[in-house]
Amino acid sequence: MLQCTAVTLLPPDAVLRLTAPGADGPDDPEPYVLCELGTHDDDRHTAHAAYLRPGRTPDSPALWFFWTGSGPERTHRAESAPWCPAVLRRLDSGLVRRCALFDHHTASHSWDVTDPLGDLIAERLVPGDSPEG
């Protein structure tokens, strides 16, 4: 499943919360966020979600930004949400992967979501490649 392509600007209060003293977020957060869920229908009723920052420990709830709708009807909220408990286990390789989304998310788990742009960029990177040549 392809990743949702919805993008929205972060409201000033969310940016302030990310840059507040004691916040574990980036010093200079991007002013916009991209939905991290797999494609989903009905943008007016299904919430988009973007991961903002981790919790205090790897298992504690993370801060997520949720929004629905578009234009003047867009509503949003930033809140802590627990991680999805789903785990993918590959018996042949012993690989164990946790879902990287919040609990009760819509659509597929993170391991089923494909980011075509990220994959394209990763394909172009080769070991030993650098901007200097």
Side-chain angles (χ1 to χ4, degrees):
M1 171 177 282
L2 294 177
Q3 183 173 345
C4 178
T5 58
V7 176
T8 192
L9 289 171
L10 279 174
D13 62 324
V15 173
L16 286 174
R17 200 172 317 147
L18 285 172
T19 58
D24 294 330
D27 292 335
D28 190 17
E30 294 292 335
Y32 57 88
V33 290
L34 172 67
C35 182
E36 299 187 33
L37 302 174
T39 54
H40 45 103
D41 297 326
D42 194 13
D43 286 347
R44 292 177 295 146
H45 297 99
T46 303
H48 297 286
Y51 171 80
L52 295 180
R53 73 168 190 240
R56 297 196 188 280
T57 66
D59 290 326
S60 62
L63 184 61
W64 288 82
F65 185 77
F66 299 96
W67 75 98
T68 56
S70 61
E73 291 88 36
R74 179 168 293 156
T75 60
H76 62 271
R77 69 187 192 286
E79 66 183 48
S80 291
W83 294 101
C84 176
V87 176
L88 174 67
R89 298 179 195 282
R90 296 211 185 267
L91 299 177
D92 58 341
S93 65
L95 174 75
V96 176
R97 184 185 294 174
R98 291 179 64 177
C99 181
L101 300 171
F102 57 94
D103 197 13
H104 300 295
H105 58 83
T106 57
S108 298
H109 293 292
S110 62
W111 53 77
D112 289 326
V113 177
T114 302
D115 176 6
L117 180 58
D119 291 346
L120 180 64
I121 291 169
E123 277 180 14
R124 304 231 183 246
L125 298 176
V126 294
D129 198 14
S130 73
E132 291 82 33

